[in-house]
Amino acid sequence: MTARRRIDLAVSDEPPTCPRCAGRGLALVRVPYGWTNAAGVPVRSRTGIVLCERCDADTPHAAPLITWFHVHGRVRDDTGAEFARVLRAWAEHAEVPPLDERALEDEIALWGRGAL
Ligand SMILES: [Zn+2]
């Protein structure tokens, strides 16, 4: 049995902006994310993935979730179980964008200068 990733759906009235096409995304999902830093220390974080019906049309496991949004529009109590199933299927296979280490270093440098 494999450990399941904890997935959070960030629900808001404003649709998320897709980082790939800058269009309207369907949902923003936060998934756990880990990597090993230069010192060999595992780092655990979370990252957001936007589901986009244009960019994710050919993404494995995305089609049932996109269809779900077309049919139901938004998450309600009576559709929660089916939604959780298709959301999990997609999120477990979703590709996490590679970490932008340069942006992270810039941010840390700004932190060090007290600019943030
Ligand atoms: Zn897109």
Side-chain angles (χ1 to χ4, degrees):
M1 186 173 155
T2 55
R4 287 194 148 181
R5 296 201 291 181
R6 196 182 131 76
I7 299 161
D8 296 328
L9 177 67
V11 179
S12 75
D13 290 334
E14 283 294 306
T17 300
C18 173
R20 289 161 290 177
C21 71
R24 280 163 63 120
L26 291 172
L28 173 64
V29 178
R30 296 195 186 285
V31 296
Y33 177 46
W35 69 94
T36 304
N37 70 13
V41 178
V43 178
R44 293 278 170 263
S45 184
R46 298 180 82 74
T47 189
I49 304 174
V50 173
L51 176 70
C52 173
E53 62 182 304
R54 289 167 298 279
C55 303
D56 286 318
D58 296 324
T59 301
H61 304 281
L65 189 56
I66 291 169
T67 300
W68 192 95
F69 273 100
H70 279 296
V71 172
H72 299 284
R74 52 189 309 150
V75 183
R76 297 190 317 267
D77 287 349
D78 60 335
T79 54
E82 189 202 347
F83 177 73
R85 189 177 56 77
V86 291
L87 174 68
R88 184 167 292 284
W90 169 71
E92 284 183 348
H93 296 90
E95 295 225 356
V96 174
L99 177 70
D100 187 342
E101 289 193 37
R102 184 61 196 260
L104 188 66
E105 284 171 18
D106 289 349
E107 201 165 297
I108 291 168
L110 286 171
W111 258 88
R113 291 200 295 272
L116 289 180

PDB file of all heavy atoms in Angstrom, residues 2-3 6 19 21 23 25 31 39 44 46-47 60 67 71 77 99 109 114:
ATOM      1  N   THR A   2       0.600   2.141  -0.898  1.00  0.00           N
ATOM      2  CA  THR A   2       1.407   3.362  -0.984  1.00  0.00           C
ATOM      3  C   THR A   2       0.737   4.481  -0.201  1.00  0.00           C
ATOM      4  O   THR A   2      -0.484   4.526  -0.071  1.00  0.00           O
ATOM      5  CB  THR A   2       1.562   3.802  -2.448  1.00  0.00           C
ATOM      6  OG1 THR A   2       0.270   3.930  -3.027  1.00  0.00           O
ATOM      7  CG2 THR A   2       2.369   2.801  -3.235  1.00  0.00           C
ATOM      8  N   ALA A   3       1.563   5.335   0.332  1.00  0.00           N
ATOM      9  CA  ALA A   3       1.044   6.484   1.077  1.00  0.00           C
ATOM     10  C   ALA A   3       0.365   7.438   0.101  1.00  0.00           C
ATOM     11  O   ALA A   3       0.889   7.722  -0.976  1.00  0.00           O
ATOM     12  CB  ALA A   3       2.180   7.187   1.795  1.00  0.00           C
ATOM     13  N   ARG A   6      -1.671  14.008   0.312  1.00  0.00           N
ATOM     14  CA  ARG A   6      -2.769  14.836   0.746  1.00  0.00           C
ATOM     15  C   ARG A   6      -2.955  15.959  -0.265  1.00  0.00           C
ATOM     16  O   ARG A   6      -2.002  16.623  -0.644  1.00  0.00           O
ATOM     17  CB  ARG A   6      -2.468  15.435   2.116  1.00  0.00           C
ATOM     18  CG  ARG A   6      -3.687  15.976   2.806  1.00  0.00           C
ATOM     19  CD  ARG A   6      -3.303  16.595   4.137  1.00  0.00           C
ATOM     20  NE  ARG A   6      -3.909  17.922   4.248  1.00  0.00           N
ATOM     21  CZ  ARG A   6      -5.175  18.121   4.505  1.00  0.00           C
ATOM     22  NH1 ARG A   6      -5.975  17.110   4.693  1.00  0.00           N
ATOM     23  NH2 ARG A   6      -5.669  19.350   4.583  1.00  0.00           N
ATOM     24  N   PRO A  19      -1.047  29.171 -15.505  1.00  0.00           N
ATOM     25  CA  PRO A  19       0.304  29.700 -15.736  1.00  0.00           C
ATOM     26  C   PRO A  19       0.859  29.365 -17.117  1.00  0.00           C
ATOM     27  O   PRO A  19       1.861  29.914 -17.531  1.00  0.00           O
ATOM     28  CB  PRO A  19       1.129  29.036 -14.621  1.00  0.00           C
ATOM     29  CG  PRO A  19       0.393  27.792 -14.297  1.00  0.00           C
ATOM     30  CD  PRO A  19      -1.077  28.074 -14.554  1.00  0.00           C
ATOM     31  N   CYS A  21      -1.205  29.133 -20.239  1.00  0.00           N
ATOM     32  CA  CYS A  21      -1.811  29.872 -21.349  1.00  0.00           C
ATOM     33  C   CYS A  21      -2.373  31.214 -20.904  1.00  0.00           C
ATOM     34  O   CYS A  21      -2.879  31.965 -21.729  1.00  0.00           O
ATOM     35  CB  CYS A  21      -2.910  29.037 -22.002  1.00  0.00           C
ATOM     36  SG  CYS A  21      -4.389  28.843 -20.976  1.00  0.00           S
ATOM     37  N   GLY A  23      -4.951  31.820 -19.506  1.00  0.00           N
ATOM     38  CA  GLY A  23      -6.406  31.834 -19.573  1.00  0.00           C
ATOM     39  C   GLY A  23      -7.011  31.453 -18.233  1.00  0.00           C
ATOM     40  O   GLY A  23      -6.302  31.264 -17.245  1.00  0.00           O
ATOM     41  N   GLY A  25      -8.376  29.087 -15.566  1.00  0.00           N
ATOM     42  CA  GLY A  25      -8.287  27.691 -15.195  1.00  0.00           C
ATOM     43  C   GLY A  25      -9.569  27.254 -14.525  1.00  0.00           C
ATOM     44  O   GLY A  25     -10.434  28.076 -14.201  1.00  0.00           O
ATOM     45  N   VAL A  31      -0.737  20.302  -3.898  1.00  0.00           N
ATOM     46  CA  VAL A  31      -0.263  18.941  -3.654  1.00  0.00           C
ATOM     47  C   VAL A  31       1.092  19.006  -2.958  1.00  0.00           C
ATOM     48  O   VAL A  31       1.847  19.942  -3.147  1.00  0.00           O
ATOM     49  CB  VAL A  31      -0.142  18.137  -4.970  1.00  0.00           C
ATOM     50  CG1 VAL A  31      -1.496  17.959  -5.614  1.00  0.00           C
ATOM     51  CG2 VAL A  31       0.822  18.802  -5.920  1.00  0.00           C
ATOM     52  N   ALA A  39      22.504  20.393  -0.103  1.00  0.00           N
ATOM     53  CA  ALA A  39      23.182  19.797   1.053  1.00  0.00           C
ATOM     54  C   ALA A  39      22.716  18.357   1.282  1.00  0.00           C
ATOM     55  O   ALA A  39      23.138  17.719   2.246  1.00  0.00           O
ATOM     56  CB  ALA A  39      22.923  20.652   2.292  1.00  0.00           C
ATOM     57  N   ARG A  44      10.443  19.435   2.131  1.00  0.00           N
ATOM     58  CA  ARG A  44       9.030  19.157   1.863  1.00  0.00           C
ATOM     59  C   ARG A  44       8.295  20.481   1.714  1.00  0.00           C
ATOM     60  O   ARG A  44       8.465  21.385   2.512  1.00  0.00           O
ATOM     61  CB  ARG A  44       8.412  18.372   3.022  1.00  0.00           C
ATOM     62  CG  ARG A  44       8.995  16.980   3.153  1.00  0.00           C
ATOM     63  CD  ARG A  44       8.332  16.007   2.184  1.00  0.00           C
ATOM     64  NE  ARG A  44       9.038  14.736   2.142  1.00  0.00           N
ATOM     65  CZ  ARG A  44       9.945  14.414   1.212  1.00  0.00           C
ATOM     66  NH1 ARG A  44      10.233  15.274   0.259  1.00  0.00           N
ATOM     67  NH2 ARG A  44      10.533  13.256   1.226  1.00  0.00           N
ATOM     68  N   ARG A  46       4.670  22.407  -0.563  1.00  0.00           N
ATOM     69  CA  ARG A  46       3.445  22.177  -1.311  1.00  0.00           C
ATOM     70  C   ARG A  46       3.464  23.115  -2.496  1.00  0.00           C
ATOM     71  O   ARG A  46       4.037  24.192  -2.421  1.00  0.00           O
ATOM     72  CB  ARG A  46       2.219  22.478  -0.445  1.00  0.00           C
ATOM     73  CG  ARG A  46       2.112  21.590   0.771  1.00  0.00           C
ATOM     74  CD  ARG A  46       0.900  21.912   1.598  1.00  0.00           C
ATOM     75  NE  ARG A  46      -0.327  21.303   1.096  1.00  0.00           N
ATOM     76  CZ  ARG A  46      -0.617  20.003   1.214  1.00  0.00           C
ATOM     77  NH1 ARG A  46       0.200  19.190   1.804  1.00  0.00           N
ATOM     78  NH2 ARG A  46      -1.730  19.525   0.736  1.00  0.00           N
ATOM     79  N   THR A  47       2.870  22.662  -3.567  1.00  0.00           N
ATOM     80  CA  THR A  47       2.828  23.516  -4.732  1.00  0.00           C
ATOM     81  C   THR A  47       1.424  23.499  -5.326  1.00  0.00           C
ATOM     82  O   THR A  47       0.676  22.552  -5.118  1.00  0.00           O
ATOM     83  CB  THR A  47       3.868  23.078  -5.784  1.00  0.00           C
ATOM     84  OG1 THR A  47       3.932  24.067  -6.815  1.00  0.00           O
ATOM     85  CG2 THR A  47       3.502  21.747  -6.413  1.00  0.00           C
ATOM     86  N   PRO A  60      -3.092  12.873 -18.969  1.00  0.00           N
ATOM     87  CA  PRO A  60      -3.731  11.657 -18.456  1.00  0.00           C
ATOM     88  C   PRO A  60      -4.578  11.949 -17.217  1.00  0.00           C
ATOM     89  O   PRO A  60      -4.156  12.721 -16.358  1.00  0.00           O
ATOM     90  CB  PRO A  60      -2.538  10.755 -18.097  1.00  0.00           C
ATOM     91  CG  PRO A  60      -1.400  11.270 -18.908  1.00  0.00           C
ATOM     92  CD  PRO A  60      -1.640  12.744 -19.062  1.00  0.00           C
ATOM     93  N   THR A  67     -14.515  17.130 -17.498  1.00  0.00           N
ATOM     94  CA  THR A  67     -15.926  16.832 -17.766  1.00  0.00           C
ATOM     95  C   THR A  67     -16.769  17.093 -16.526  1.00  0.00           C
ATOM     96  O   THR A  67     -17.871  17.649 -16.618  1.00  0.00           O
ATOM     97  CB  THR A  67     -16.087  15.353 -18.196  1.00  0.00           C
ATOM     98  OG1 THR A  67     -15.308  15.141 -19.373  1.00  0.00           O
ATOM     99  CG2 THR A  67     -17.539  15.023 -18.484  1.00  0.00           C
ATOM    100  N   VAL A  71     -20.087  19.482 -16.195  1.00  0.00           N
ATOM    101  CA  VAL A  71     -21.406  18.978 -15.808  1.00  0.00           C
ATOM    102  C   VAL A  71     -21.896  19.669 -14.532  1.00  0.00           C
ATOM    103  O   VAL A  71     -23.040  20.110 -14.444  1.00  0.00           O
ATOM    104  CB  VAL A  71     -21.366  17.447 -15.615  1.00  0.00           C
ATOM    105  CG1 VAL A  71     -22.688  16.936 -15.024  1.00  0.00           C
ATOM    106  CG2 VAL A  71     -21.075  16.759 -16.939  1.00  0.00           C
ATOM    107  N   ASP A  77     -22.071  19.481  -1.822  1.00  0.00           N
ATOM    108  CA  ASP A  77     -22.026  18.341  -0.910  1.00  0.00           C
ATOM    109  C   ASP A  77     -22.438  17.029  -1.579  1.00  0.00           C
ATOM    110  O   ASP A  77     -21.831  15.999  -1.371  1.00  0.00           O
ATOM    111  CB  ASP A  77     -22.956  18.585   0.292  1.00  0.00           C
ATOM    112  CG  ASP A  77     -22.372  19.627   1.225  1.00  0.00           C
ATOM    113  OD1 ASP A  77     -21.184  19.968   1.040  1.00  0.00           O
ATOM    114  OD2 ASP A  77     -23.093  20.090   2.117  1.00  0.00           O
ATOM    115  N   LEU A  99      10.979  22.917  -9.899  1.00  0.00           N
ATOM    116  CA  LEU A  99      11.235  24.052  -9.017  1.00  0.00           C
ATOM    117  C   LEU A  99      12.115  25.078  -9.724  1.00  0.00           C
ATOM    118  O   LEU A  99      13.132  24.729 -10.316  1.00  0.00           O
ATOM    119  CB  LEU A  99      11.938  23.556  -7.753  1.00  0.00           C
ATOM    120  CG  LEU A  99      12.344  24.635  -6.754  1.00  0.00           C
ATOM    121  CD1 LEU A  99      11.118  25.234  -6.096  1.00  0.00           C
ATOM    122  CD2 LEU A  99      13.275  24.060  -5.713  1.00  0.00           C
ATOM    123  N   ALA A 109      17.384  35.897  -1.138  1.00  0.00           N
ATOM    124  CA  ALA A 109      18.273  37.063  -1.065  1.00  0.00           C
ATOM    125  C   ALA A 109      17.490  38.296  -0.626  1.00  0.00           C
ATOM    126  O   ALA A 109      17.957  39.099   0.186  1.00  0.00           O
ATOM    127  CB  ALA A 109      18.930  37.294  -2.423  1.00  0.00           C
ATOM    128  N   GLY A 114      15.789  42.009   4.041  1.00  0.00           N
ATOM    129  CA  GLY A 114      14.618  42.574   4.698  1.00  0.00           C
ATOM    130  C   GLY A 114      13.663  43.261   3.752  1.00  0.00           C
ATOM    131  O   GLY A 114      12.862  44.108   4.149  1.00  0.00           O
TER     132      GLY A 114
END
